[in-house]
């Protein structure tokens, strides 16, 4: 991988981390608020279903995870193992696709 | 003058594989670790190999691992580091051992070359001198990193160097950062391309072991962070 690509990966990971910091706070705060308010799962879903704002929020959250986690995993594997090269890059892209599928499934379930 | 007390010193003997050998050395006032090693070599075992030159913290050749931490032995007083009356002296970590306490510094300096740590002059057309006001941010960044004497202490203290043998290390990257900020230098952005990426500044975890151990109190982590910023901006502009 070229130095330019590696630098752009680093930048993408930093930018997605900034988005994640915000998303995680909103996500956790909402969860605590909902549970403390005594809302049931059905009541929560009745509020989120059809809400395009929540869909947009969770799609952004999923996108940030899909960018952030595979780049981080690649860096961790490069440090902890001798795995390098295209096979590693391919494997973390697959991991990203898996995260995207799981994340989109969850986000859509909250919406519809 | 000897004060009757003694010091039990364990000294690494051999190369990558070897063992610690115990010596008993008389304690003296204001004794440095280099004094102890020299005393062993002159009075107990002339075959002990180690390296030093200036003895006053200018040359950067006497760094060793003292009680587990990389230090200049010439500027480290025994009183400050001895645990009870014992001292363990080993070669610098993360470098091949030549013999006993002497390491091969070639990989360390090869990485300075890889990081393009040499000044690149502009073309030889006659031109005005550059004016470099001391208060500019570039000049201040150079000042903060320029006093490095290449002793290898930060390199030995760095966990990333230990994990990733290709990593350029704090000293080489700090040197590159001083040149990135040198308005007279014509080596950028080729230099940024040399120091960016998985074996360069982006591998740094900002754990600051380099800053913690640097005998000159240079904050190489900050220099590396500066390189990350500069490389990111260059990548966004398509200059990398």
């Amino acid at each position: 991988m070229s130095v330019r690509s590696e630098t752009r990966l680093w930048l993408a990971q930093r930018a997605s981390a900034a988005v994640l910091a915000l998303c995680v706070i909103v996500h956790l705060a909402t969860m605590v608020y909902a549970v403390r308010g005594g809302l049931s799962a059905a009541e929560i879903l009745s509020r989120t279903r059809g809400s395009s704002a929540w869909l947009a929020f969770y799609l952004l959250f999923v996108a940030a995870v899909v960018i952030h986690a595979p780049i981080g995993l690649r860096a961790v594997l490069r440090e902890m193992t001798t795995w390098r090269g295209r096979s590693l890059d391919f494997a973390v892209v697959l991991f990203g696709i898996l995260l995207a599928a799981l994340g989109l499934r969850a986000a859509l379930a909250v919406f519809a | 003058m000897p004060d009757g007390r003694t010091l039990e010193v364990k000294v690494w003997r051999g190369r990558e594989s070897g063992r610690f050998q115990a010596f008993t050395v008389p304690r003296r006032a204001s004794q440095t670790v280099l004094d102890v090693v020299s005393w062993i070599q002159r009075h107990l075992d002339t075959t002990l190999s180690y390296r030093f030159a200036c003895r006053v913290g200018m040359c950067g050749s006497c760094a060793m691992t003292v009680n587990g931490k990389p230090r200049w032995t010439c500027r480290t007083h025994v009183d400050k580091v001895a645990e009870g009356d014992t001292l363990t002296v080993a070669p610098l970590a993360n470098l091949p051992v030549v013999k006993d306490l002497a390491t091969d510094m070639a990989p360390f300096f090869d990485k300075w070359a890889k990081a393009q740590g040499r000044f690149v002059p502009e073309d030889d057309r006659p031109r005005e001198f550059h004016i470099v006001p001391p208060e500019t941010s570039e000049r201040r960044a150079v000042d903060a990193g320029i006093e490095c004497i290449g002793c290898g202490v930060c390199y030995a203290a760095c966990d990333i160097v230990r994990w990733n043998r290709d990593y350029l290390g704090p000293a080489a990257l700090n040197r590159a950062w001083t040149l990135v900020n040198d308005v007279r230098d014509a080596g950028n952005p080729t230099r940024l391309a040399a120091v960016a990426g998985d074996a360069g500044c982006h591998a740094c975890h900002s754990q600051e072991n380099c800053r913690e151990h640097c005998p000159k109190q240079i904050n190489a982590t900050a220099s590396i962070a500066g390189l990350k910023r500069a490389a990111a901006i260059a990548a966004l502009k398509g200059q990398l």
Side-chain angles (χ1 to χ4, degrees), chain B residues 7 27 67 77-87:
Chain B
L7 189 69
R27 284 288 279 267
N67 281 352
H77 280 254
V78 172
D79 289 339
K80 294 250 172 73
V81 291
E83 290 162 354
D85 284 323
T86 64
L87 204 61

Side-chain angles (χ1 to χ4, degrees), chain A residues 10-96:
Chain A
W10 179 85
L11 205 54
Q13 202 195 16
R14 291 300 153 116
S16 57
V19 174
L20 276 178
L22 193 70
C23 289
V24 168
I25 289 169
V26 171
H27 179 66
L28 289 179
T30 310
M31 272 170 49
V32 170
Y33 170 77
V35 170
R36 290 221 165 181
L39 291 177
S40 68
E43 286 166 332
I44 293 169
L45 282 175
S46 73
R47 284 163 167 77
T48 60
R49 284 204 166 135
S51 163
S52 46
W54 278 118
L55 178 68
F57 172 76
Y58 277 109
L59 286 180
L60 177 70
F61 199 160
V62 170
V65 170
V66 167
I67 293 167
H68 189 82
I71 302 172
L73 182 65
R74 177 178 175 274
V76 170
L77 286 172
R78 286 178 61 92
E79 273 178 9
M80 309 288 284
T81 71
T82 54
W83 198 3
R84 300 279 190 281
R86 296 195 71 134
S87 64
L88 171 62
D89 296 341
F90 185 69
V92 297
V93 167
L94 274 185
F95 177 66

Side-chain angles (χ1 to χ4, degrees), chain A residues 1 3-4 6-8 10-11 14 74 78-80 84, chain B residues 163 193 196-198 202 205 228 231-232 235-236 238 240:
Chain A
M1 190 177 284
V3 167
R4 174 188 291 191
E6 285 169 2
T7 304
R8 287 185 171 169
W10 179 85
L11 205 54
R14 291 300 153 116
R74 177 178 175 274
R78 286 178 61 92
E79 273 178 9
M80 309 288 284
R84 300 279 190 281
Chain B
W163 295 333
D198 292 334
H202 295 111
H205 283 232
K228 287 175 180 172
L236 285 175
L240 202 62

Side-chain angles (χ1 to χ4, degrees), chain B residues 22 88 90 145 148 164:
Chain B
T88 305
C148 172
N164 179 0

